[in-house]
Amino acid sequence: MPRFSFAYGSNTEEQDWRDWCARHGHDPAAIRLIGPGLLPDARLAFDFFGRGRGGGVLNFQARIGGFVEGVLLEVSDAGWRALDQKEGTPHAYQRRVRQIILPDGEALEAIAYQVVPERQQGFVAPPAPYLNAVRRGFATHGLHPDPLEAAARGEEGCHHLPDVFVYGTLMQGGFWHGPAAKAGIAAITPALATGTLFDLGDYPALTLGAATPIQGEILTFQDIATALPILDEIEDAAPDGSPSGMYRRTILTVTDQAGRRRRAWAYVMAPESLGAAPVIASGDWRAHHQKRGG
């Protein structure tokens, strides 16, 4: 089982956790804050009546192209027992193993508690004390409040991310740009990421962890929920950021031609999958491919 839990509701607020532990005889130190993370292809929703809270409590639902901000917690055995009790597992919430994207684009497997599907309802308004506790947790960790506030109004509670950073055959002039464009590209913007670029013959692969500038483009899609399944199939990437495909879809912070730092979806590969593939030292697939006569 993963060692980590992804908190996106009241568990982001330390005092709420400590108060609950004091009432139920658990050690609050059984979980430890690691840092921020993103839950991809998800949105927040108040769709379950929490009896202990007296109103709607948070859940996450599927939303392709959206993401939820939260925090990662390292959890001991005692911590899992406490979290399971707090979340009413398995009758109210269930454990879901999800890939949580870290600030550098790497991912970590974690448990995210999700309301049992049969228990999910329509919108249930949250009580003020619960909502305020989550607000405090978000503020403490620098999480953007807009998705939370939207969910509290019964609206869609997530960050919409229409941008995809591409650096190879999905760029303009590349073999796969045409099929991608059929999904409806609203804008194309030159951009830079950082990492290491590898030559796999007919296409490149990006790995994370290095500071080499990688030349690419941001494709901004009119409907990212339509575009991502097409791109996932092209890149042989599993949904939800799972590492089980050839590439892994993640979220990177890239720099556009105006110098603005922007989040964008991107497809990366694990270094152990590359074998003896040569590095493209320039970080520019287009120039490298043309020089090679491609």
Side-chain angles (χ1 to χ4, degrees):
M1 186 176 71
R3 294 168 44 214
F4 304 97
S5 177
F6 177 74
Y8 57 89
S10 62
N11 289 335
T12 65
E13 212 275 302
E14 182 180 6
Q15 193 58 52
D16 187 86
W17 167 250
R18 288 184 172 278
D19 290 346
W20 183 90
C21 287
R23 292 195 303 272
H24 293 87
H26 292 281
D27 180 3
I31 65 173
R32 183 174 69 88
L33 175 68
I34 299 298
L38 307 177
L39 176 63
D41 292 346
R43 65 180 180 184
L44 295 175
F46 286 93
D47 64 356
F48 178 66
F49 183 88
R51 287 183 297 175
R53 301 288 186 172
V57 291
L58 274 172
N59 184 30
F60 73 89
Q61 300 175 347
R63 205 301 185 184
I64 297 175
F67 68 86
V68 168
E69 291 184 312
V71 294
L72 276 165
L73 306 170
E74 186 174 25
V75 185
S76 67
D77 289 344
W80 287 121
R81 290 192 291 272
L83 284 173
D84 281 351
Q85 181 180 346
K86 186 173 188 284
E87 303 297 344
T89 303
H91 304 293
Y93 285 81
Q94 60 186 352
R95 295 181 181 185
R96 290 287 308 278
V97 178
R98 294 293 297 262
Q99 295 293 316
I100 305 303
I101 298 173
L102 305 179
D104 61 0
E106 297 288 1
L108 188 150
E109 191 174 76
I111 294 293
Y113 285 90
Q114 185 177 36
V115 173
V116 174
E118 294 77 15
R119 304 291 300 276
Q120 294 177 18
Q121 307 164 39
F123 173 64
V124 182
Y130 174 81
L131 180 58
N132 287 334
V134 182
R135 284 169 171 159
R136 291 193 298 272
F138 272 45
T140 297
H141 300 292
L143 310 181
H144 202 287
D146 284 357
L148 172 64
E149 300 300 336
R153 297 190 298 268
E155 301 168 6
E156 188 163 67
C158 67
H159 298 272
H160 298 101
L161 187 54
D163 295 340
V164 181
F165 176 77
V166 298
Y167 52 86
T169 58
L170 286 168
M171 291 193 294
Q172 293 179 93
F175 180 82
W176 288 109
H177 183 77
K182 292 180 180 178
I185 296 175
I188 301 175
T189 309
L192 292 174
T194 58
T196 304
L197 202 61
F198 290 84
D199 183 350
L200 298 183
D202 293 331
Y203 52 90
L206 173 66
T207 65
L208 304 177
T212 302
I214 306 300
Q215 302 282 340
E217 297 170 344
I218 295 171
L219 307 183
T220 301
F221 287 91
Q222 297 168 3
D223 182 359
I224 193 65
T226 298
L228 283 181
I230 295 172
L231 299 183
D232 284 352
E233 183 174 1
I234 289 172
E235 302 288 13
D236 186 25
D240 302 333
S242 169
S244 59
M246 182 177 183
Y247 287 84
R248 175 176 65 84
R249 174 157 54 85
T250 189
I251 296 173
L252 300 181
T253 299
V254 302
T255 305
D256 67 19
Q257 63 180 352
R260 295 172 298 187
R261 290 175 62 77
R262 297 163 56 173
R263 280 173 168 160
W265 300 103
Y267 292 88
V268 301
M269 193 175 286
E272 55 268 24
S273 303
L274 293 164
V279 172
I280 302 173
S282 67
D284 188 335
W285 165 254
R286 183 179 282 139
H288 174 80
H289 193 52
Q290 290 171 350
K291 183 177 179 180
R292 200 180 57 182

